[in-house]
Amino acid sequence: METKDPGYYRKLMESIEAGIPAISPHGGIGRGMKVGKEEMVGLLTAVNGSKLFIDSGNYEPALDKALKAVGYADMAKRKAEAKTRGKLLGVGLSTYIEVCGVAPSKWIGAVGEGWGAAMWESSNIKVHLTGKVVVTMGTQNHGQGHETTFAQIVAHELGVPMEDVIVQHSDTQGTPFGYGSYGSRTSNVGSTAAVKAAGKVREKARRMAAHMLEASVDDIEVEGAKYFVKGSPDRAKTIGEIAFAAYTNHPAGMEAGLEAVDYYDPPNLTFPFGSYICVVDIDRATGVVSVRRFVAVDDCRNIINPMIVDGQIHGGLTQGFGTAMMELISFDEDGNCFGGNFMDYLIPTAVESPDWTLGECTTPSPHHPIGAKGVGESPTVGSPQAFVNAVVDALHPYGVTNID
């Protein structure tokens, strides 16, 4: 069984003793639990005394949005109507805060803490003399759409078409060293390395443009891929022209080429959060549980690619559904595993998975250049207990208060 922190059990027992379902967003653990910097002192404290705090968050709007979307105000009426059909309707709430962007050396790199090494991320950006851009990353992609999101970020930073950006990863012969993709490190740490590397490329391009336009570097302004003299927009060079000159006609004292590398060590983690509400009904005759509604309101802002984020949330919610409702590892008395293949170990497919209703709130991370927080694992953090709590709520009139 999963080990929970003492606070979980304390609030659960308080709710049980008071006769209030722990899933009640108006009477149980859903509201009134203050979470701020002063509450987080020591939560992430390294052996060297370094402390990390929740960087941002506005939690009530996410809960309010989820309650409205699921129609919580009418839930008592819907429960009574379901009962006339032989169904026990339950509603389960889960609010979460996730710790993402595992990397800060002042915490995880401290001696005797975590890995005992800084877990920065790296990015190398090279603009070829043709104007095409190659981005090599230390993070690895295994289906999250890195090629798309990194291309979007670098294209935006350099003002070039997205199709002119090639993203390379997972090749130890050609990509810089990195610590990989987990804990939503890619959007938090890897993307920042890419943004900073692109900034270094842009600054060198300004110096090169100043040489080509016979102007002071301080007088060069940048607008997308156009580098021009302040007050004289017709005196301009494109980044493609600058890149060609950087390889063929660079000035004395300047290194040839147009590329940069950045190793980014963030000052803090990021803390995405959300509110999930699940509605189930249980057939009184058979005990079959059916998910009738699931609302997920996440705050992982700022979003780089909405379609990819929605896809990751859908996948994470489906994984949470499987964890709560289908997947089980069990053994017989001789130690043989009952779920040794996917005929016996049940995982959700499109047939079993419910529909998902998604919502979003926005509180950007203050220390991330884009404001991103990460989202890949968030639905797996928040969703399983929403399913469980909905079942508990449906059975609460019969004295069931938890199924731990």
Side-chain angles (χ1 to χ4, degrees), residues 59-74:
Y59 308 107
E60 290 256 346
L63 177 58
D64 291 337
K65 198 166 189 175
L67 290 170
K68 183 177 180 180
V70 83
Y72 188 84
D74 298 326

Side-chain angles (χ1 to χ4, degrees), residues 77-227:
K77 185 187 301 182
R78 290 159 63 182
K79 286 186 176 186
E81 187 277 330
K83 196 171 183 179
T84 65
R85 296 183 286 106
K87 306 288 185 180
L88 304 175
L89 189 142
V91 54
L93 169 71
S94 170
T95 57
Y96 75 90
I97 303 174
E98 187 187 5
V99 180
C100 289
V102 178
S105 60
K106 69 176 184 178
W107 168 54
I108 204 164
V111 176
E113 182 80 24
W115 285 38
M119 293 178 63
W120 40 259
E121 269 307 330
S122 56
S123 175
N124 177 278
I125 297 178
K126 178 184 293 185
V127 185
H128 286 266
L129 74 169
T130 61
K132 303 295 184 182
V133 182
V134 176
V135 182
T136 54
M137 300 297 303
T139 57
Q140 291 83 45
N141 177 49
H142 42 271
Q144 308 98 313
H146 290 187
E147 291 94 338
T148 301
T149 52
F150 284 136
Q152 283 183 264
I153 290 169
V154 174
H156 173 78
E157 293 296 319
L158 297 181
V160 299
M162 186 175 164
E163 54 268 25
D164 285 353
V165 180
I166 300 170
V167 178
Q168 298 176 338
H169 59 85
S170 308
D171 180 359
T172 55
Q173 287 188 320
T175 56
F177 181 83
Y179 280 97
S181 301
Y182 47 89
S184 294
R185 301 181 73 253
T186 300
S187 62
N188 295 328
V189 193
S191 69
T192 303
V195 169
K196 289 183 173 293
K200 294 176 182 179
V201 169
R202 191 168 54 247
E203 285 307 304
K204 184 173 182 180
R206 287 181 71 244
R207 297 196 302 272
M208 191 67 207
H211 166 72
M212 298 170 69
L213 297 169
E214 299 181 341
S216 168
V217 175
D218 294 336
D219 291 332
I220 299 298
E221 295 189 342
V222 182
E223 189 176 282
K226 180 182 177 181
Y227 293 69

Side-chain angles (χ1 to χ4, degrees), residues 259-313:
E259 63 181 292
V261 64
D262 189 84
Y263 292 83
Y264 179 64
D265 181 6
N268 197 0
L269 301 159
T270 59
F271 298 85
F273 63 91
S275 292
Y276 293 171
I277 301 180
C278 176
V279 179
V280 304
D281 63 38
I282 303 175
D283 189 290
R284 294 181 66 181
T286 65
V288 171
V289 179
S290 300
V291 178
R292 298 305 181 189
R293 191 81 190 277
F294 198 102
V295 174
V297 179
D298 289 280
D299 190 327
C300 60
R301 292 296 194 163
N302 287 325
I303 292 175
I304 301 167
N305 187 298
M307 183 178 293
I308 287 177
V309 167
D310 285 355
Q312 291 195 8
I313 294 174

Side-chain angles (χ1 to χ4, degrees), residues 318-330 342 344-348:
T318 302
Q319 183 175 339
F321 171 70
T323 299
M325 309 294 281
M326 299 178 68
E327 301 175 40
L328 177 68
I329 291 290
S330 57
F342 286 124
D344 300 318
Y345 183 81
L346 301 180
I347 58 174

